Amino acid sequence: MYVQAEAAARGLGFLRGKIMTEFLDPDEIRSMFSSAMSEMYRLEVPQYGTLIDLVRDVNAATLAADPDLRARLEAAGELDRLDVERHGAIRLGTAEELASIRRMFAVMGMMPVSYYDLSVAGIPVHSTAFRPVESASLKRNPFRVFTSLLRLDLVEDRGLAAQAAQILAQRQIVTEGAFACIERAETQGGLTQAQAEEFVREALETFRWHNDATVSAETYEKLVSAHRLIADVVSFKGPHINHLTPRTLDIDAVQRQMPERGITPKAVIEGPPRRNVDILLRQTSFKALEEVVMFQGVAGSHTARFGEIEQRGVALTRKGRTLYDATLSQARTAAAKEGAGSYLSCLDSAFTAMPDDLAALRAQGLAFFRYRATAARLPQPAVSVSELIAAGVLVADPQVYEDFLPVSAAGIFQSNLGAEDQSNFSACANQDAFEAALGAKVIDEMVLYGEIEAESLAQALITLGQAHLIPEAAMVD
Ligand code: OOG
Ligand code: NI
């Protein structure tokens, strides 16, 4: 600001021109956006503010009680992201909406990663998560948005599906101003500070809650009877952010302490059980709020928005993930036989099949790591990577799982939709249709973790003067 004003005052047009074309890093725009979104949601859903405070307290206590964890997060450069870390979720109605949202998120360096088929859980959507993909960007701010697209093709009542499509065709979820900003970013290749501020202001409008529905109470009821989720997507002006989830270091403590702060959590935590080494993702949520909505002048209510917390652990390789999926499904089958009260013990006993220390997870190729050298060039060539690790000159930090789990997502959807009885949609994934709507392919999460692992290992080995140990697969470029 100051430099610009000074340049103008001195008539230094060239300097001013230079500043005017200086674009913000997309990581910076994402941070601005995620904090604006958090601010907005805090005002819309006061319980979210309470949850953020609780998570901050629990994280501070966890770090204070576990200096090793603190040191490890700090050394891995992961401490700073913790306070700003959160994900949100939206549900879209049409292919055009999904394509527009993809362009909007691209301005903030967020790419579609993974395809999630929720029809297997009887929920008529398929989804992706928009998130940063580079290591440095993830460290800066890993803000992600779980984005679902309604599948009217799965709705049996074709008349109702046609009516829903017709209602959706009339809305515009991205403001004219936001489109102008997106086009500007695309043609210029970035946005200046002032342009980014305008973009964030306009983009935020898409996610705002509207308590006036676009449909009559009668149409709303018809949509609800097909599925609550269809009503949530179709009846409003836009895809209101339905939850914003902070990351905690101790989800069991947060789950325990929620009632003390007046919040009632769902009964069980989704995902793996509590372990020494956190794997993948554990999540819990509290019930959606019942909100007053005006249906073309008639007062009614709708439940859509809720709170969620998550604890993130190490990302698993394909082999690790296959083991996880089989183990979880074994626990669920056992619990179904033994009764709901047995879920936690079934989970614990099934998960004994999964190694619970980092060294074993690494040695068996079950998890992804990020390597770093803690020494300079060594005088002698080593014979293996393990030898360097044992000598303490090479450290393998677990890579945080940055994505989502479809079984957990289904549990989250169901608990806040109150729609356990509405799961009569036929299971059929359709990634091609999703990507056609998106206007792009989704990125394979496994490839991303694999690249980070391979590149960090190669870099660390070069630092240590051990390039001969770089695995061939890492030398692609
Ligand atoms: C998304 C539910 C999935 C998660 O964290 O797994 C999700 C939704 O309810 O729209 O956010
Ligand atoms: Ni979520």
Side-chain angles (χ1 to χ4, degrees), residues 58-115:
V58 167
N59 286 354
T62 308
L63 288 171
D66 190 348
D68 288 351
L69 174 68
R70 193 193 169 88
R72 190 171 63 65
L73 290 177
E74 188 148 36
E78 275 171 17
L79 207 51
D80 290 344
R81 68 180 247 184
L82 201 61
D83 278 344
V84 296
E85 178 154 0
R86 52 186 80 93
H87 83 253
I90 54 170
R91 303 156 184 170
L92 303 174
T94 67
E96 293 71 32
E97 290 177 2
L98 182 62
S100 304
I101 287 293
R102 175 178 62 78
R103 290 171 59 201
M104 180 189 283
F105 284 142
V107 176
M108 304 180 239
M110 294 159 76
M111 304 297 152
V113 179
S114 288
Y115 172 75

Side-chain angles (χ1 to χ4, degrees), residues 44-266:
E44 288 182 351
V45 181
Q47 275 183 316
Y48 166 70
T50 310
L51 198 62
I52 291 280
D53 294 341
L54 172 58
V55 167
R56 194 188 307 115
D57 293 349
V58 167
N59 286 354
T62 308
L63 288 171
D66 190 348
D68 288 351
L69 174 68
R70 193 193 169 88
R72 190 171 63 65
L73 290 177
E74 188 148 36
E78 275 171 17
L79 207 51
D80 290 344
R81 68 180 247 184
L82 201 61
D83 278 344
V84 296
E85 178 154 0
R86 52 186 80 93
H87 83 253
I90 54 170
R91 303 156 184 170
L92 303 174
T94 67
E96 293 71 32
E97 290 177 2
L98 182 62
S100 304
I101 287 293
R102 175 178 62 78
R103 290 171 59 201
M104 180 189 283
F105 284 142
V107 176
M108 304 180 239
M110 294 159 76
M111 304 297 152
V113 179
S114 288
Y115 172 75
Y116 302 97
D117 169 30
L118 276 304
S119 72
V120 289
I123 298 162
V125 301
H126 44 184
S127 320
T128 190
F130 289 94
R131 68 160 174 93
V133 294
E134 304 286 341
S135 235
S137 301
L138 288 162
K139 278 183 187 167
R140 174 82 177 78
N141 186 324
F143 181 61
R144 345 165 161 75
V145 178
F146 191 90
T147 303
S148 301
L149 175 63
L150 180 62
R151 292 186 65 182
L152 288 174
D153 59 310
L154 298 182
V155 175
E156 254 170 45
D157 181 343
R158 298 314 298 158
L160 185 69
Q163 189 187 358
Q166 196 243 332
I167 296 167
L168 286 167
Q170 288 165 22
R171 73 179 190 181
Q172 179 57 265
I173 65 164
V174 177
T175 67
E176 291 295 327
F179 267 129
C181 294
I182 294 168
E183 270 155 29
R184 184 189 281 151
E186 288 170 348
T187 45
Q188 291 180 166
L191 295 176
T192 64
Q193 175 75 35
Q195 291 168 351
E197 283 167 13
E198 186 187 345
F199 165 79
V200 167
R201 215 170 27 248
E202 290 287 342
L204 207 57
E205 290 306 310
T206 298
F207 306 93
R208 199 179 282 289
W209 170 250
H210 300 279
N211 47 18
D212 46 334
T214 55
V215 300
S216 67
E218 185 198 353
T219 304
Y220 175 80
E221 285 310 325
K222 251 169 61 186
L223 294 167
V224 167
S225 64
H227 198 287
R228 274 189 177 281
L229 190 113
I230 301 176
D232 182 53
V233 175
V234 176
S235 311
F236 297 90
K237 279 188 205 133
H240 39 256
I241 181 95
N242 67 49
H243 65 283
L244 215 47
T245 303
R247 175 178 166 200
T248 176
L249 295 172
D250 187 348
I251 199 167
D252 304 278
V254 177
Q255 173 94 346
R256 244 186 345 262
Q257 291 175 38
M258 277 205 272
E260 291 163 25
R261 305 217 187 183
I263 303 174
T264 313
K266 81 193 261 301

